[in-house]
Amino acid sequence: MATANRFPGQYTLKQLTLINFRGNAIDIKAALISVDIQLDIFNSTMHGTLKIQDKSDFQQNFPLIGEEKLIIEFATDKAAGYISLEFYIYRKANVSPNGDRAFIYEMPFSSTEFLRNQETLIRTSFHKRTITDIVATTLKKITAKKLTIDDTLGTISFIPPSIHPFEVINYCLPRAISKAFPNGAGYIFYEDLNGFNFRTIESLHKGNALKYTFNNKNVVIENGFNEEFYTVTNYNIIQQFNVLDNMSKGMYGTRTYDINPYTREYGIIDYNYFSDDYKKTEHIDSNNTNHSVHTSLFQFKNAYKGHQRCYPTYGFQNKSKNIGVRYSQLNQITNGLKLIIEVAGNTEINVGKIIQLDYPNNSIAKDQSLDLYMRGKYLVTAVRHILTGSELTTVMELSKDDYYDNHENNNRVGML
């Protein structure tokens, strides 16, 4: 990354254009207040909000009625290339006065595929097709964007009953088994800056980590662009591990009753977070049980028996054998430790990325410079890239499903 004459948050806005229903285009860079682009691993498409201002009420000549396209092209480093995005503004602008004959316009937008999905129905018959093939075929109905997909095992048969493409893909998610990680069932579908993704949680956990530190932002680092660029400027812990939530939502496991409607036979399939099942799936720092969020002395290790589900089985598309691990994996992300961090704008950061945080230890312990619980790797579950006229800021939601250290080995009660 080139760093000469740059400061963290600097970026180049090459294009910010509105195109109305007639195809007329207008450059709105000079009117920009902010563009807030939002990504989430549990959202099928990107979305956001555009805010602009003017002193002539230009919507009287260029109607902002909710049928506009928004073209954005920007880069944090020209050498790495520009990111070009197209969105659809789907609602008439909210207009508020801002001084004498001045106005602020606020317009929500989403990826065009979100609207195309709403007007498209899938009736294609899929007979013994891989889920990889079904997802790719379905998505082509509404987009030409790049699709990154983790290959799946086996085949299923499915006749969509006139449902939308994203509904077809969501039907496939809990039935997909990864070739690379056959013990897991944690597929997710989302859009990022590079296109669409049908990925496993395990493959995301294996990604290369971007390292961020918590240096004092008021200290000027001479010739330290990279240090400042990868420094957390603000943070907020928004969620801690919650035993009651985890028990009620299935993080600790599920007892599934597998019923065959043809033979009238049933079986019981258990997934138990506190057994060797834990080691069969990948976790963000380690799949060693010593790094899990609970100690070996946890009192409620049979919680999986209280979270019961019942599913029919049809042989080649048996969902019941994977549902327990899927419940657990998704809840480890959504119910785990979460924090929000703000950093200098960085387009390397996408949802699904791994961030390594060197979170400082603020106790008096001389032998431990980093926090025992907060340090380590995190999964980026949501991102906001906020562009203003002067700088780019990136805000991340991070989630953690285990600890970096074996916290059972740390006993410093005497230091209190």
Side-chain angles (χ1 to χ4, degrees):
M1 179 180 292
T3 62
N5 300 319
R6 288 190 60 206
F7 61 86
Q10 182 179 358
Y11 80 108
T12 302
L13 182 59
K14 184 177 181 180
Q15 183 179 6
L16 186 64
T17 302
L18 278 178
I19 302 174
N20 71 4
F21 64 96
R22 296 185 185 278
N24 298 325
I26 182 171
D27 183 349
I28 58 171
K29 289 198 298 291
L32 175 65
I33 296 177
S34 67
V35 179
D36 187 350
I37 304 170
Q38 302 181 29
L39 308 82
D40 192 309
I41 61 170
F42 296 112
N43 275 349
S44 299
T45 60
M46 295 188 291
H47 61 281
T49 305
L50 168 68
K51 286 185 180 181
I52 58 175
Q53 62 183 342
D54 86 306
K55 291 187 177 181
S56 59
D57 198 8
F58 77 83
Q59 75 162 346
Q60 302 303 318
N61 300 313
F62 191 93
L64 301 176
I65 59 175
E67 296 182 23
E68 294 77 44
K69 289 183 180 179
L70 174 65
I71 310 296
I72 307 170
E73 195 170 358
F74 67 101
T76 54
D77 181 9
K78 294 180 183 179
Y82 285 89
I83 293 174
S84 183
L85 303 171
E86 179 181 312
F87 297 105
Y88 190 91
I89 294 172
Y90 58 83
R91 192 182 73 198
K92 187 179 184 300
N94 285 336
V95 184
S96 56
N98 185 39
D100 184 27
R101 299 183 65 189
F103 300 90
I104 292 177
Y105 304 89
E106 183 173 343
M107 293 161 277
F109 59 77
S110 71
S111 296
T112 307
E113 287 79 11
F114 184 75
L115 289 94
R116 287 180 183 155
N117 174 71
Q118 295 300 108
E119 69 170 3
T120 305
L121 294 175
I122 303 297
R123 302 181 181 91
T124 305
S125 174
F126 300 105
H127 179 64
K128 291 189 177 181
R129 301 269 290 274
T130 65
I131 288 179
T132 301
D133 185 30
I134 293 173
V135 171
T137 301
T138 300
L139 201 59
K140 285 179 182 177
K141 301 287 186 181
I142 58 173
T143 187
K145 289 181 180 176
K146 177 184 176 183
L147 170 63
T148 301
I149 190 166
D150 293 337
D151 286 338
T152 59
L153 286 172
T155 61
I156 68 170
S157 294
F158 175 43
I159 303 176
S162 296
I163 57 179
H164 301 299
F166 289 162
E167 292 179 278
V168 173
I169 294 171
N170 288 329
Y171 173 87
C172 292
L173 284 173
R175 293 164 173 79
I177 302 298
S178 167
K179 276 187 178 181
F181 304 99
N183 290 319
Y187 269 89
I188 48 180
F189 174 69
Y190 60 94
E191 184 186 13
D192 63 17
L193 295 176
N194 299 317
F196 287 93
N197 301 268
F198 191 85
R199 304 289 307 278
T200 63
I201 295 171
E202 292 91 347
S203 66
L204 299 181
H205 284 173
K206 290 293 186 180
N208 295 326
L210 286 174
K211 184 177 178 180
Y212 275 87
T213 61
F214 286 80
N215 293 332
N216 188 334
K217 64 182 180 180
N218 294 320
V219 175
V220 177
I221 304 173
E222 186 177 355
N223 298 321
F225 173 84
N226 284 334
E227 287 83 353
E228 291 185 48
F229 189 77
Y230 292 105
T231 293
V232 176
T233 57
N234 198 6
Y235 76 98
N236 182 28
I237 300 170
I238 61 171
Q239 180 176 284
Q240 295 285 2
F241 298 111
N242 186 317
V243 172
L244 187 58
D245 255 7
N246 293 337
M247 291 179 73
S248 63
K249 294 180 180 177
M251 177 183 145
Y252 298 142
T254 301
R255 169 159 285 183
T256 305
Y257 289 87
D258 178 18
I259 299 173
N260 190 315
Y262 299 111
T263 65
R264 300 186 180 181
E265 296 176 332
Y266 79 92
I268 299 176
I269 302 168
D270 288 335
Y271 175 80
N272 186 359
Y273 175 89
F274 298 100
S275 70
D276 285 340
D277 290 338
Y278 183 91
K279 298 178 182 179
K280 294 177 182 178
T281 57
E282 296 295 327
H283 300 270
I284 196 163
D285 268 312
S286 171
N287 64 346
N288 188 323
T289 54
N290 291 332
H291 295 257
S292 75
V293 299
H294 287 292
T295 70
S296 58
L297 302 178
F298 184 64
Q299 297 180 37
F300 306 103
K301 293 182 179 178
N302 289 324
Y304 71 95
K305 293 181 180 179
H307 194 266
Q308 299 186 351
R309 291 292 181 268
C310 182
Y311 286 97
T313 178
Y314 298 97
F316 56 84
Q317 60 183 75
N318 184 357
K319 178 180 178 180
S320 56
K321 64 183 178 181
N322 306 313
I323 200 67
V325 64
R326 180 167 176 80
Y327 268 112
S328 181
Q329 286 183 304
L330 292 178
N331 280 290
Q332 285 174 55
I333 293 176
T334 57
N335 292 333
L337 173 65
K338 280 189 179 181
L339 68 155
I340 303 291
I341 67 171
E342 182 178 315
V343 300
N346 185 354
T347 53
E348 286 183 89
I349 296 170
N350 255 323
V351 284
K353 270 282 192 181
I354 298 297
I355 301 295
Q356 180 178 326
L357 289 184
D358 285 351
Y359 193 94
N361 174 16
N362 295 307
S363 77
I364 61 174
K366 301 294 184 183
D367 60 335
Q368 184 69 41
S369 62
L370 298 177
D371 189 281
L372 294 174
Y373 304 101
M374 300 291 292
R375 70 177 298 194
K377 295 178 180 178
Y378 289 77
L379 177 66
V380 180
T381 53
V383 175
R384 294 172 63 194
H385 292 297
I386 304 171
L387 294 72
T388 68
S390 58
E391 66 178 333
L392 170 65
T393 301
T394 296
V395 181
M396 292 177 269
E397 178 188 86
L398 306 179
S399 178
K400 193 169 184 58
D401 68 349
D402 62 359
Y403 289 124
Y404 178 85
D405 295 293
N406 177 0
H407 49 286
E408 289 190 62
N409 289 338
N410 298 291
N411 184 0
R412 293 193 169 94
V413 175
M415 297 184 68
L416 293 176

